[in-house]
Amino acid sequence: MKHFTNVRDIGDLHAALQEAFDIKKDRFRYHELGKNKTLMMVFFNSSLRTRLSTQKAAMNLGMNVIVLDVNQGAWKLETERGVVMDGDKSEHLLEAIPVMGCYCDLIGVRSFASFESREYDYNETVLSQFMKYSGRPVFSMEAATRHPLQSFADLITIEEHKKTPRPKVVLTWAPHPKALPQAVPNSFAEWMNAADYDFVITHPEGYELAPEFVGNARVEYDQRKAFEGADFIYAKNWAAYAEPNYGKVIHRDRAWTVDAEKMALTNDAYFMHCLPVRRNMIVTDEVIESPRSLVIPEAANREISAQVVIKRLLESLP
Ligand code: AN0
Ligand code: CP
């Protein structure tokens, strides 16, 4: 694997899942693979899980790890080519990226959607520059349009808990006070489509995701109807994709909060969320604390998904 930015990069899902379960049984088995190799993790945005789980995965593989928080202590970086740099940005990504590449063997990048321009975000402008100019294998730690390490961990978690070969999985929009990217729901949809589950997306009108991510999912605007017979409820907020509202919060309807009464409509579904989650906006205390909540096992599987990806990138190094 040369880079890891979306579901296609992982190839056959059954093989990837098998590798994940093998690693989960013995996570130190490949401890020699990363010896004297360095992972650089570059964060343009905050993180708790991605930062800790990816570093842990790299350490399980015997790697050294360098973390750069671009907004804390590094020079402010310009990302667009051609601008006259007479503002507060001291350095351009076009120099910073190849410099970072000099000090490491693999690069992980977190760079959320800017919400300034849909075209800029959906072209994955920042992530593509890392792939083009770093000279290193690059993996996404959540970019503008996708969060594949999260989706892979979600898939592992569903495979561990499903009772039928083709469970009904429902992605539901839920309210949040601030505008959040579409990366998590886009990516979740991409992986659920690839896994060929019975997959339904429910959201209020105006929150339609990009058609290339919706794929074969059924879109149901009635949340209660969508929940009927569900085996897994995956909650997430996202801002509007459709123009002219791209990146905007159209409404924060608390009628969409996942609560016990709605969970009672399901087939005793598990509750999932990638975290961080705002309690009593996205989901009630009761549901997230219930025995059907998978939010912690999901986060734990982030170490496993990261380890499969880093292992494969290491195996592909020249
Ligand atoms: C981010 C998002 O919604 O994309 C990261 C989730 C993993 N969440 C927030 O910014 C709260
Ligand atoms: N789920 C997830 O990626 O969490 P962080 O933003 O804390 O890394």
Side-chain angles (χ1 to χ4, degrees), residues 46-51 110 142 147 150 274-276 302:
S46 307
S47 168
L48 186 152
R49 278 144 293 272
T50 303
R51 180 176 181 143
R110 166 163 286 203
E142 185 173 342
H147 192 0
Q150 180 65 50
C274 63
L275 307 183
R302 290 292 306 276

Side-chain angles (χ1 to χ4, degrees), residues 90-135:
S90 311
E91 179 156 25
H92 204 289
L93 261 190
L94 291 171
E95 283 74 51
I97 290 173
V99 168
M100 291 179 206
C102 296
Y103 309 138
C104 63
D105 302 279
L106 304 180
I107 304 188
V109 181
R110 166 163 286 203
S111 170
F112 290 176
S114 67
F115 283 156
E116 277 161 31
S117 143
R118 190 169 93 172
E119 196 193 345
Y120 180 88
D121 290 342
Y122 274 68
N123 282 337
E124 286 291 3
T125 311
V126 174
L127 187 68
S128 334
Q129 293 193 78
F130 272 90
M131 293 196 275
K132 203 160 159 197
Y133 299 116
S134 70

